Amino acid sequence: MRYILAVDIGGTFTDLVAYDLDSGAVRYAKTPTTYNDFVEGIFTCFSKVDVPVKDAALVKHGSTLVINALIQRQGAKTALITTKGFRDTLEIGRGNRPTPFDLRYRRDDALVPRTLRFEIAGRIDGKGREIDPLDTVALNRLGDDFAALDIEAVAISFLNSYATPDHEVAAAQTLRERLPDVYVTAGTELSREWSEYERTTTVCANAYVGPLLTGYLERFENVLADQQFDGSLYMM
């Protein structure tokens, strides 16, 4: 028999639905979410529906891990590298606000504190032309600093990189080689939108949750493989 499995990790419960492709029968299981090891809760559900992992043709997996980490501010220790003069883009933001007439309104703190935001020389103009080359010496020095600071994730967002991403690509490659255990992400890998604030906040959010999700998915895939799963895994 072959099954399609859908599993969701929530803040309170982990749920699983198994659909038998041959008979059309549906089985359900629910168990409390195991915060010490999320994978444990999933495989408890597998046991409850009595479906061997190797019989699954497809596993679709939803999770609130990312949104919970953002809301609870329990993400990775993240550093931001940006173009010289643009260290405060995260806090300058935009003029709009969700409650325009509330004089007591305050934005939430940035995901990356100012002490972990670093500027580097190198400049691309609005037409995508290089004005100043990327300062690779300073970049390598930052790599050493990040190792000393126990940085877990690095976000890279350079001015006008949506037009020409070469500096971001080079910086990401250099840091991944120097810091293989650190999650490194560049804004243009996620979005080629022209607005600096939007791209910077996006890449910072990705870096903030990247180590958590990457570590979890690696463990989940390894456990699936150990139990002879040879189907497809989709993540939402």
Side-chain angles (χ1 to χ4, degrees):
M1 291 184 292
R2 297 289 274 177
Y3 294 86
I4 292 177
L5 300 173
V7 61
D8 179 78
I9 298 176
T12 304
F13 292 106
T14 296
D15 299 279
L16 184 143
V17 178
Y19 174 75
D20 189 324
L21 290 169
D22 296 326
S23 67
V26 180
R27 307 179 190 181
Y28 307 91
K30 178 186 287 285
T31 190
T33 294
T34 47
Y35 279 93
N36 59 318
D37 183 358
F38 293 113
V39 175
E40 179 184 338
I42 293 175
F43 283 89
T44 298
C45 287
F46 271 107
S47 299
K48 287 185 175 182
V49 296
D50 194 25
V51 173
V53 176
K54 62 183 179 62
D55 289 342
L58 170 67
V59 175
K60 296 193 290 184
H61 185 10
S63 173
T64 59
L65 293 178
V66 169
I67 191 66
N68 287 346
L70 289 168
I71 292 172
Q72 298 169 6
R73 295 299 180 103
Q74 293 181 346
K77 185 177 182 181
T78 302
L80 169 66
I81 303 177
T82 189
T83 303
K84 189 173 183 180
F86 287 80
R87 181 183 183 186
D88 296 317
T89 297
L90 283 179
E91 284 166 330
I92 293 171
R94 295 288 181 206
N96 59 317
R97 48 201 280 179
T99 52
F101 300 109
D102 181 1
L103 299 181
R104 296 181 180 85
Y105 173 78
R106 295 292 183 273
R107 286 194 182 101
D108 291 331
D109 292 337
L111 290 176
V112 181
R114 196 171 194 272
T115 54
L116 294 180
R117 301 198 298 261
F118 302 88
E119 298 178 348
I120 192 170
R123 188 76 171 247
I124 301 293
D125 71 10
K127 294 183 178 180
R129 298 171 300 195
E130 184 181 73
I131 298 175
D132 296 312
L134 183 66
D135 188 344
T136 54
V137 174
L139 183 64
N140 283 297
R141 192 182 305 120
L142 280 178
D144 296 335
D145 293 341
F146 293 160
L149 290 168
D150 294 324
I151 295 296
E152 299 171 294
V154 178
I156 303 168
S157 184
F158 294 148
L159 181 67
N160 295 323
S161 57
Y162 69 91
T164 299
D166 295 359
H167 284 185
E168 284 195 0
V169 171
Q173 181 178 349
T174 296
L175 291 175
R176 284 168 181 153
E177 291 172 355
R178 291 183 65 86
L179 305 168
D181 296 327
V182 173
Y183 184 87
V184 177
T185 180
T188 47
E189 296 171 341
L190 307 170
S191 171
R192 296 292 291 271
E193 295 293 332
W194 68 272
S195 300
E196 302 306 321
Y197 172 68
E198 284 76 5
R199 282 191 298 106
T200 303
T201 54
T202 298
V203 74
C204 286
N206 190 61
Y208 190 71
V209 300
L212 170 69
L213 189 60
T214 300
Y216 166 71
L217 281 177
E218 286 178 354
R219 168 155 167 69
F220 187 37
E221 289 175 332
N222 288 337
V223 176
L224 287 173
D226 289 343
Q227 299 201 24
Q228 301 178 328
F229 172 71
D230 62 356
S232 299
L233 171 62
Y234 293 160
M235 188 76 186
M236 182 174 69

